Amino acid sequence: MGAGIGQAGAPPPERPAAPEAPSGRLCRGYGLGGRPLQVTAIVKYWLGGPDPLDYVSMYRNVGSPSANIPEHWHYISFGLSDLYGDNRVHEFTGTDGPSGFGFELTFRLKRETGESAPPTWPAELMQGLARYVFQSENTFCSGDHVSWHSPLDNSESRIQHMLLTEDPQMQPVQTPFGVVTFLQIVGVCTEELHAAQQWNGQGILELLRTVPVAGGPWLITDMRRGETIFEIDPHLQERVDKGIETDGSNLSGVSAKCAWDDLSRPPEDDEDSRSICIGTQPRRLSGKDTEQIRETLRRGLEINSKPVLPPINPQRQNGLTHDRAPSRKDSLESDSSTAIIPHELIRTRQLESVHLKFNQESGALIPLCLRGRLLHGRHFTYKSITGDMAITFVSTGVEGAFATEEHPYAAHGPWLQILLTEEFVEKMLEDLEDLTSPEEFKLPKEYSWPEKKLKVSILPDMVFDSPLH
């Protein structure tokens, strides 16, 4: 990251002075003198620099020993919201709506004994998340999770993933360019991430708040934490299991390495097949399909929502709303909003037999999809990250699906829907039990239900990285 470190003061020459809000208000409201250390992008994003965040402020927070809140470093990003109001980075849409993307990121890192200055790696972590938001235009929501698959500080730490929640101190701010909320990054172990996927992020965050060494009331990340909350207190696993049984999972979809084939057609008929051969141009999800899938995921996050898939031709929503984010980290935004094949010319096809393909990481989520979603009358979507296709599993209680009990496999262009009855879901869970311990089997692995004309293969990553997929 091209960045410099210094005390907050006069803006750099290439940046015209920003309005006091939100940065000035935050400094004063924080009660720390208004001059935090800052990591500043040397070349601003609107001038072609690689870092979307203008700067990250770093405060020393004394905590509250009486409330079991240790001393820590508090990081606050500036740049996901609109700092200028002149359209150089974000479109200015008025003062009543969200400012820019409507949020900034924060992070609380436990201060080590004798540490006189804050580590700067959290600033690069924030820039990485900000780059994702700017490039995908997907926003984060409280309760979201981020699968990072690497120690957040590039050490040997077990803290390798993130959950997001409201910052306990930072209230939403009304600025001249809209409203800004503050989402706090919380570092978690792999086992805690999996629990959040299988149940929900908010539930795991509440458990982390009850364990002082794992975050405590303010969810302070300790990169030296060597035990998961389930190792610290085994009873917490029982609470998660009960929550999954009662609530199911609120994870409605993931970006994944996946593919599907229509086995009902002869191999030479590739007009509608999703097996893409070298030299052919694959169809892309149309803008309307992409919007429907994004709506599917957004609605899946609403706690009291009915299990309804949006219609094929929904009204596109322009801009963001402050009360609800229209997408999430793993939402299904297509790389291209323009369909290669006109949407109205793509018919919905009923398929007799299908073959689903997943890599190991994606396959390990199938039991979650079945037990945590479909058995609770919901839906779950895999969106391919290496091609432009999607697979949505739906239960019989989901309205608006184009897959039906009479025709359980249906495709709209490259988007496949699979309707599974409760009885078949239970059968699949029995047969797929070893997916919960993927380290115990060798790839490739195949599962087949001939009477249902369904086949599932778990394949190595390299299969999906080849030009054939």
Side-chain angles (χ1 to χ4, degrees), residues 23-74:
S23 54
R25 291 187 189 179
L26 296 181
C27 292
R28 292 202 316 274
Y30 206 82
L32 295 177
R35 281 182 171 266
L37 289 174
Q38 289 184 342
V39 177
T40 304
I42 294 174
V43 181
K44 299 304 180 185
Y45 193 66
W46 71 85
L47 295 176
D51 299 324
L53 301 176
D54 270 33
Y55 53 96
V56 174
S57 291
M58 304 176 291
Y59 295 89
R60 182 170 175 171
N61 190 307
V62 296
S64 175
S66 62
N68 234 345
I69 299 170
E71 188 172 359
H72 60 279
W73 304 109
H74 193 190

XYZ file of all heavy atoms in Angstrom, residues 23-74:
405
model
N -14.950 13.421 9.702
C -13.702 13.216 10.433
C -13.570 14.132 11.645
O -13.191 13.688 12.725
C -12.514 13.401 9.485
O -12.584 14.658 8.842
N -13.890 15.427 11.478
C -13.734 16.342 12.598
C -14.650 15.990 13.751
O -14.248 16.002 14.915
N -15.887 15.662 13.435
C -16.837 15.303 14.490
C -16.385 14.058 15.229
O -16.519 13.937 16.442
C -18.215 15.068 13.895
C -18.896 16.314 13.373
C -20.317 15.977 12.977
N -20.944 17.086 12.289
C -22.174 17.043 11.826
N -22.900 15.943 11.974
N -22.699 18.081 11.212
N -15.855 13.100 14.481
C -15.432 11.850 15.107
C -14.282 12.104 16.060
O -14.227 11.558 17.161
C -15.017 10.843 14.033
C -16.123 10.384 13.096
C -15.572 9.373 12.101
C -17.271 9.782 13.874
N -13.341 12.948 15.624
C -12.197 13.238 16.484
C -12.657 13.860 17.793
O -12.236 13.448 18.876
C -11.221 14.169 15.766
S -10.391 13.421 14.358
N -13.523 14.875 17.681
C -13.987 15.548 18.902
C -14.839 14.618 19.747
O -14.700 14.559 20.962
C -14.786 16.793 18.539
C -13.960 17.906 17.919
C -14.671 19.246 18.098
N -16.093 19.148 17.820
C -16.633 19.260 16.621
N -15.848 19.436 15.561
N -17.930 19.192 16.443
N -15.736 13.870 19.072
C -16.630 13.003 19.812
C -15.924 11.851 20.486
O -16.384 11.317 21.486
N -14.769 11.504 19.960
C -14.039 10.389 20.554
C -13.368 10.778 21.859
O -13.033 9.938 22.679
C -12.994 9.885 19.545
C -12.631 8.434 19.738
C -13.430 7.430 19.211
C -11.518 8.073 20.469
C -13.113 6.109 19.399
C -11.190 6.751 20.657
C -11.983 5.768 20.111
O -11.675 4.445 20.303
N -13.151 12.067 22.033
C -12.583 12.506 23.304
C -11.093 12.265 23.428
O -10.571 12.164 24.533
N -10.379 12.166 22.290
C -8.953 11.878 22.354
C -8.130 13.008 21.748
O -7.070 12.801 21.190
C -8.643 10.560 21.633
C -9.268 9.320 22.288
C -8.964 8.094 21.465
C -8.745 9.136 23.698
N -8.641 14.220 21.820
C -7.840 15.358 21.402
C -7.937 15.695 19.935
O -7.467 16.740 19.511
N -8.541 14.833 19.138
C -8.772 15.153 17.746
C -7.569 15.017 16.839
O -7.605 15.443 15.694
N -6.440 14.468 17.308
C -5.273 14.306 16.447
C -4.758 12.872 16.535
O -3.714 12.603 17.132
C -4.166 15.281 16.833
C -4.405 16.687 16.299
C -3.247 17.593 16.660
N -3.375 18.856 15.969
C -2.792 19.108 14.791
N -2.090 18.184 14.186
N -2.935 20.292 14.225
N -5.457 11.946 15.923
C -4.986 10.561 15.917
C -3.832 10.403 14.939
O -3.583 11.262 14.088
C -6.210 9.797 15.423
C -6.885 10.771 14.501
C -6.698 12.109 15.164
N -3.107 9.304 15.058
C -2.179 8.925 14.000
C -2.994 8.476 12.799
O -4.099 7.945 12.939
C -1.265 7.794 14.473
C -0.203 8.154 15.515
C 0.508 6.900 15.984
C 0.800 9.153 14.934
N -2.427 8.690 11.612
C -3.136 8.294 10.403
C -2.210 7.582 9.433
O -1.026 7.921 9.335
C -3.747 9.512 9.698
C -4.920 10.125 10.428
C -5.536 11.263 9.648
O -4.917 11.818 8.743
N -6.763 11.624 9.994
N -2.766 6.589 8.747
C -2.118 6.014 7.578
C -2.846 6.598 6.377
O -4.057 6.415 6.220
C -2.215 4.475 7.577
C -1.593 3.904 6.302
C -1.510 3.902 8.801
N -2.127 7.326 5.541
C -2.738 8.082 4.451
C -2.283 7.550 3.101
O -1.097 7.256 2.907
C -2.337 9.573 4.556
O -2.712 10.064 5.843
C -3.029 10.400 3.481
N -3.236 7.400 2.188
C -2.893 7.018 0.823
C -2.106 8.148 0.174
O -2.562 9.290 0.124
C -4.156 6.713 0.020
N -0.895 7.851 -0.311
C -0.045 8.892 -0.895
C -0.632 9.396 -2.209
O -0.689 10.605 -2.451
C 1.384 8.345 -1.090
C 2.014 8.054 0.282
C 2.244 9.336 -1.872
C 3.362 7.384 0.206
N -1.054 8.463 -3.066
C -1.722 8.837 -4.314
C -3.199 8.518 -4.150
O -3.572 7.348 -3.975
C -1.140 8.076 -5.532
C -1.859 8.508 -6.815
C 0.360 8.330 -5.648
N -4.026 9.523 -4.176
C -5.443 9.334 -3.918
C -6.100 8.487 -5.011
O -5.660 8.474 -6.163
C -6.154 10.681 -3.804
C -5.621 11.541 -2.666
C -5.691 10.826 -1.333
C -5.148 11.696 -0.206
N -5.092 10.960 1.075
N -7.174 7.838 -4.621
C -7.871 6.908 -5.515
C -8.347 7.608 -6.782
O -8.218 7.079 -7.881
C -9.050 6.296 -4.758
C -9.685 5.110 -5.422
C -8.985 3.918 -5.570
C -10.990 5.163 -5.890
C -9.564 2.814 -6.160
C -11.584 4.061 -6.485
C -10.870 2.887 -6.612
O -11.452 1.801 -7.204
N -8.876 8.827 -6.635
C -9.412 9.523 -7.807
C -8.298 10.058 -8.716
O -8.543 10.494 -9.829
C -10.355 10.650 -7.378
C -9.686 11.820 -6.738
C -9.109 12.893 -7.353
C -9.504 12.049 -5.346
N -8.607 13.776 -6.450
C -8.832 13.281 -5.200
C -9.861 11.335 -4.195
C -8.494 13.800 -3.951
C -9.539 11.856 -2.965
C -8.871 13.073 -2.850
N -7.034 9.966 -8.233
C -5.889 10.340 -9.062
C -5.187 9.126 -9.637
O -4.086 9.234 -10.183
C -4.895 11.173 -8.229
C -5.413 12.530 -7.744
C -4.380 13.199 -6.846
C -5.747 13.420 -8.933
N -5.817 7.956 -9.480
C -5.254 6.729 -10.051
C -4.532 5.854 -9.063
O -3.933 4.843 -9.447
N -4.558 6.209 -7.779
C -3.907 5.382 -6.764
C -4.656 4.078 -6.537
O -5.839 3.956 -6.853
N -3.994 3.072 -5.935
C -4.609 1.753 -5.751
C -5.503 1.636 -4.515
O -6.229 0.665 -4.371
C -3.395 0.827 -5.614
C -2.352 1.695 -4.969
C -2.574 3.082 -5.514
N -5.426 2.613 -3.619
C -6.098 2.474 -2.325
C -7.341 3.346 -2.257
O -7.241 4.574 -2.285
C -5.140 2.875 -1.190
C -3.902 1.986 -1.154
O -4.050 0.781 -1.433
O -2.813 2.501 -0.857
N -8.530 2.739 -2.136
C -9.776 3.526 -2.133
C -9.936 4.420 -0.914
O -10.588 5.450 -0.997
C -10.875 2.448 -2.164
C -10.198 1.195 -2.610
C -8.796 1.296 -2.126
N -9.352 4.009 0.217
C -9.513 4.801 1.438
C -8.535 5.968 1.429
O -7.336 5.786 1.209
C -9.272 3.938 2.681
C -10.193 2.724 2.851
C -9.778 1.921 4.073
C -11.651 3.166 2.954
N -9.040 7.171 1.691
C -8.155 8.333 1.790
C -7.162 8.153 2.932
O -5.981 8.444 2.793
C -8.987 9.597 2.037
C -9.399 10.266 0.749
O -9.610 9.528 -0.236
O -9.514 11.505 0.719
N -7.673 7.705 4.051
C -6.802 7.498 5.197
C -7.511 6.618 6.228
O -8.727 6.402 6.175
C -6.368 8.826 5.839
C -7.485 9.769 6.209
C -7.997 9.797 7.508
C -8.024 10.655 5.278
C -9.016 10.666 7.857
C -9.040 11.536 5.615
C -9.530 11.529 6.902
O -10.548 12.391 7.247
N -6.715 6.110 7.162
C -7.225 5.334 8.294
C -6.687 5.988 9.557
O -5.471 6.151 9.720
C -6.775 3.859 8.221
C -7.209 3.113 9.490
C -7.341 3.173 6.982
N -7.588 6.411 10.434
C -7.189 7.022 11.701
C -7.021 5.947 12.763
O -7.780 4.978 12.814
C -8.242 8.039 12.161
O -8.244 9.173 11.312
N -6.004 6.142 13.629
C -5.677 5.146 14.654
C -5.649 5.818 16.023
O -4.839 6.727 16.260
C -4.323 4.498 14.341
C -4.264 3.870 12.949
S -2.634 3.190 12.508
C -1.678 4.702 12.342
N -6.524 5.399 16.908
C -6.643 5.979 18.239
C -6.182 4.977 19.296
O -6.342 3.761 19.132
C -8.094 6.326 18.547
C -8.702 7.403 17.685
C -9.339 7.087 16.489
C -8.669 8.731 18.083
C -9.917 8.063 15.711
C -9.258 9.727 17.313
C -9.873 9.384 16.126
O -10.451 10.358 15.360
N -5.680 5.509 20.386
C -5.390 4.677 21.558
C -6.576 4.787 22.505
O -6.893 5.875 22.994
C -4.107 5.136 22.242
C -3.717 4.301 23.446
C -2.319 4.659 23.914
N -1.949 3.964 25.142
C -0.732 3.968 25.666
N 0.234 4.682 25.072
N -0.475 3.316 26.777
N -7.242 3.666 22.741
C -8.427 3.642 23.593
C -8.061 2.978 24.914
O -7.556 1.845 24.924
C -9.545 2.854 22.894
C -10.888 2.981 23.578
O -11.008 2.732 24.769
N -11.908 3.356 22.817
N -8.306 3.661 26.004
C -7.895 3.145 27.316
C -8.797 2.030 27.799
O -8.483 1.343 28.785
C -7.860 4.279 28.361
C -6.805 5.306 27.971
C -9.236 4.929 28.507
N -9.937 1.810 27.131
C -10.832 0.751 27.559
C -11.502 1.065 28.876
O -11.593 2.224 29.298
N -11.943 0.005 29.558
C -12.599 0.154 30.860
C -12.373 -1.111 31.667
O -13.112 -2.095 31.528
C -14.106 0.406 30.681
O -14.759 0.438 31.932
N -11.327 -1.126 32.502
C -11.018 -2.339 33.280
C -12.199 -2.844 34.094
O -12.409 -4.050 34.207
C -9.867 -1.888 34.185
C -9.232 -0.738 33.437
C -10.365 -0.044 32.736
N -12.998 -1.934 34.646
C -14.132 -2.365 35.467
C -15.185 -3.095 34.643
O -15.941 -3.918 35.171
C -14.769 -1.155 36.163
O -15.268 -0.235 35.192
N -15.238 -2.805 33.323
C -16.208 -3.457 32.446
C -15.562 -4.574 31.627
O -16.151 -5.073 30.671
C -16.835 -2.429 31.511
N -14.337 -4.960 32.010
C -13.618 -6.035 31.308
C -13.287 -5.661 29.867
O -13.262 -6.520 28.983
C -14.423 -7.335 31.323
C -13.610 -8.491 31.883
O -12.389 -8.387 32.003
N -14.272 -9.589 32.204
N -13.038 -4.369 29.619
C -12.679 -3.899 28.281
C -11.217 -3.457 28.320
O -10.885 -2.443 28.934
C -13.577 -2.729 27.838
C -15.030 -3.194 27.785
C -13.132 -2.188 26.475
C -16.020 -2.069 27.596
N -10.303 -4.222 27.726
C -8.873 -3.905 27.823
C -8.497 -2.703 26.969
O -9.231 -2.290 26.067
C -8.207 -5.178 27.293
C -9.199 -5.749 26.335
C -10.554 -5.433 26.929
N -7.324 -2.150 27.243
C -6.788 -1.075 26.423
C -6.529 -1.621 25.016
O -6.084 -2.754 24.837
C -5.491 -0.548 27.039
C -4.959 0.696 26.376
C -3.783 1.289 27.141
O -3.422 0.730 28.193
O -3.242 2.307 26.672
N -6.814 -0.799 24.014
C -6.693 -1.293 22.642
C -6.497 -0.141 21.671
O -6.665 1.020 22.022
C -7.932 -2.114 22.256
C -9.220 -1.351 22.321
N -9.910 -1.145 23.504
C -9.950 -0.728 21.354
C -11.002 -0.458 23.264
N -11.049 -0.172 21.963
N -6.145 -0.498 20.439
C -6.054 0.445 19.332
C -7.352 0.410 18.544
O -7.869 -0.664 18.250
C -4.878 0.096 18.418
C -3.550 0.020 19.105
C -2.827 -1.108 19.358
C -2.776 1.114 19.619
N -1.654 -0.802 20.001
C -1.598 0.561 20.177
C -2.975 2.490 19.667
C -0.605 1.345 20.772
C -1.993 3.275 20.254
C -0.827 2.714 20.803
N -7.842 1.582 18.208
C -9.115 1.678 17.485
C -8.845 2.335 16.132
O -8.337 3.462 16.065
C -10.106 2.531 18.295
C -11.521 2.443 17.794
N -12.512 3.279 18.246
C -12.111 1.631 16.888
C -13.651 2.974 17.644
N -13.429 1.985 16.802
